[in-house]
Amino acid sequence: MGCVTMPQQVPTVPASQVPDDAVVLDVREDDEWVAGHVEGATHIPMGEVPGRLDDLPEGDPLYVTCRGGGRSARVAAWLNANGYDAVNVGGGMGEWQAAGRPMVSETGQPPTVV
């Protein structure tokens, strides 16, 4: 993600409170995405975000998720520092799944978080 100054607070919302119509950016790796993700989310692995800004979905705010909330917090902070309105999904996909929020997979198996 390069050398950036991180703000002390990253806007965060619990997975259970993400609006149903939220625009979601999933920054996990390919194997994590394939196992289970939010339907309609955009997948850009964390390390690719700076080079793929043109691929970011249009959302105000843009809800950023990963497995547990750490990577997504870093990406949300970076996006906010670069003029985007990004919110971290607290607890990530682990909390999303625990809250019973809908997920899909690319494997033909029930979606899960890995």
Side-chain angles (χ1 to χ4, degrees):
M1 297 287 320
C3 184
V4 297
T5 301
M6 300 292 279
Q8 292 299 98
Q9 296 293 327
V10 175
T12 301
V13 64
S16 61
Q17 295 179 17
V18 174
D20 291 339
D21 62 350
V23 178
V24 177
L25 171 65
D26 190 320
V27 298
R28 296 176 299 153
E29 296 300 319
D30 292 341
D31 61 322
E32 296 173 289
W33 167 265
V34 168
H37 56 270
V38 177
E39 186 169 14
T42 297
H43 177 230
I44 304 175
M46 178 179 170
E48 297 178 18
V49 170
R52 294 184 55 192
L53 295 178
D54 288 343
D55 295 333
L56 289 176
E58 291 188 26
D60 193 14
L62 179 59
Y63 290 85
V64 185
T65 192
C66 65
R67 183 178 62 214
R71 288 173 284 177
S72 55
R74 290 178 60 197
V75 171
W78 187 87
L79 289 170
N80 286 328
N82 285 279
Y84 293 85
D85 183 9
V87 175
N88 182 41
V89 176
M93 291 303 298
E95 186 178 305
W96 186 278
Q97 185 176 34
R101 302 294 303 265
M103 295 172 50
V104 296
S105 78
E106 305 293 318
T107 64
Q109 300 296 316
T112 191
V113 177
V114 295

